[in-house]
Amino acid sequence: LTDLIYTNFAAEVNTLATLVDNKSSNDGQLRNAVFVHDFESPLLHKLTWPKVSWAPGLFDLDNDTDLDLFFANGHLNSVSGDNRQSNLLFENDGRGRYTDISERSGILATGERIHRSAIFADYDDDGRVDIFVTVNGQQVEDGQGNNIFDPHQGKGVLFHNETKSDNNWIKVRLEGTKSNRDGFGATVRITVGPNKYEQALISGQGYFSAHAKEIYFGLGSIESIDKIDVSWPSGIDQTFENIPVNQTVYIVEGKTMHQNTSHLNVK
């Protein structure tokens, strides 16, 4: 089931909402489902309380199969005094409980800025998801009502993921034929034994944020994928079996899967 993370203004905490189905129908259909707010993460609430967060991101920082959490932060101009703020990064313990790793991860090394959008992509194809964060212009308020020039503002920040891990991964790139060419709206399901992992390819997430047009799965110690199922917006379904890990696969709607391939040559 799909969960939500949404941000709020300062003095209002960012919140996780978990989709819960009471399964009263017993027929496998999603009925009577509700989003339940997660109030079991007091650290998350405490640290997001003073922030204005724009671009939340659920992504697998360390390829251990669970989703970690990033917030790009920065207050509004001419409202709160000094509107520069630091970003936040939380690590998922696998049970949905989050630990603040902002300092030891290096996220705080760039200091406080007026952060806005955040883009997630494995830009150097090393099997780890990186983050690029945009920053508002160079005129800021100093907290005393004065406008000052800050040379660090207006320059985006690229956080290169250098997490040490032996965990495995796979990236899935899609090309629609009957559906839209980018494959937006398609759902990819990975099956390994009794375990299933599912993600949908979306065109945007958060404030002015559009991520890499691929679906990324951290796989932990999984060494081979039993099956990849793709459900396209057109209604076409495809299944591929026995796929090796630590690679990018390129799937064309209604046709085939290309392994170890990020792009197809266009003739």
Side-chain angles (χ1 to χ4, degrees):
L1 300 179
T2 300
D3 303 319
L4 295 176
I5 176 69
Y6 60 89
T7 64
N8 285 297
F9 203 74
E12 299 174 331
V13 298
N14 298 344
T15 306
L16 284 165
T18 302
L19 184 60
V20 178
D21 181 18
N22 64 20
K23 299 181 180 179
S24 59
S25 59
N26 294 319
D27 62 1
Q29 299 299 312
L30 187 64
R31 294 192 176 93
N32 304 311
V34 294
F35 281 102
V36 178
H37 288 184
D38 172 21
F39 293 110
E40 296 184 359
S41 300
L43 180 63
L44 176 65
H45 294 169
K46 176 182 178 181
L47 294 178
T48 61
W49 175 268
K51 307 287 188 180
V52 177
S53 300
W54 299 86
L58 285 165
F59 74 111
D60 196 342
L61 172 72
D62 48 6
N63 292 337
D64 63 353
T65 75
D66 56 51
L67 296 180
D68 308 296
L69 182 56
F70 175 85
F71 293 109
N73 303 312
H75 218 303
L76 294 173
N77 292 322
S78 305
V79 172
S80 61
D82 194 330
N83 43 11
R84 293 166 291 186
Q85 294 183 331
S86 57
N87 297 317
L88 291 170
L89 180 61
F90 296 90
E91 184 177 17
N92 191 336
D93 68 357
R95 296 173 295 174
R97 301 276 295 187
Y98 286 90
T99 300
D100 176 32
I101 60 169
S102 303
E103 184 171 2
R104 66 181 173 88
S105 70
I107 288 292
L108 300 184
T110 57
E112 296 183 335
R113 307 188 187 200
I114 312 173
H115 304 99
R116 287 297 184 261
S117 61
I119 296 94
F120 297 82
D122 178 14
Y123 79 92
D124 55 352
D125 204 28
D126 66 352
R128 292 171 290 192
V129 178
D130 311 294
I131 311 172
F132 180 78
V133 183
T134 65
V135 179
N136 263 15
Q138 294 178 318
Q139 184 168 295
V140 300
E141 294 187 2
D142 64 357
Q144 299 178 357
N146 302 311
N147 289 328
I148 61 173
F149 176 82
D150 184 340
H152 296 296
Q153 301 305 312
K155 300 176 181 178
V157 180
L158 176 62
F159 295 105
H160 181 235
N161 188 345
E162 298 181 355
T163 303
K164 303 298 182 183
S165 172
D166 294 326
N167 291 331
N168 298 315
W169 54 275
I170 193 164
K171 289 191 290 185
V172 180
R173 296 186 65 89
L174 302 172
E175 180 180 313
T177 53
K178 292 187 176 181
S179 302
N180 64 88
R181 181 177 174 83
D182 291 320
F184 292 135
T187 300
V188 176
R189 290 174 296 277
I190 286 181
T191 301
V192 180
N195 299 316
K196 297 181 184 296
Y197 307 90
E198 179 176 311
Q199 292 188 48
L201 184 62
I202 58 177
S203 59
Q205 173 183 297
Y207 179 81
F208 283 168
S209 303
H211 310 314
K213 292 183 289 187
E214 59 194 19
I215 296 178
Y216 187 97
F217 292 91
L219 298 175
S221 60
I222 294 170
E223 296 182 348
S224 180
I225 296 170
D226 296 336
K227 185 170 62 171
I228 293 180
D229 293 296
V230 183
S231 296
W232 297 86
S234 65
I236 292 176
D237 294 319
Q238 291 174 274
T239 298
F240 305 93
E241 297 181 341
N242 301 319
I243 301 99
V245 299
N246 297 334
Q247 64 161 322
T248 300
V249 297
Y250 192 107
I251 300 174
V252 180
E253 182 180 13
K255 296 183 179 179
T256 188
M257 169 191 285
H258 302 267
Q259 298 198 42
N260 292 301
T261 304
S262 296
H263 300 85
L264 295 184
N265 293 326
V266 178
K267 297 181 180 180

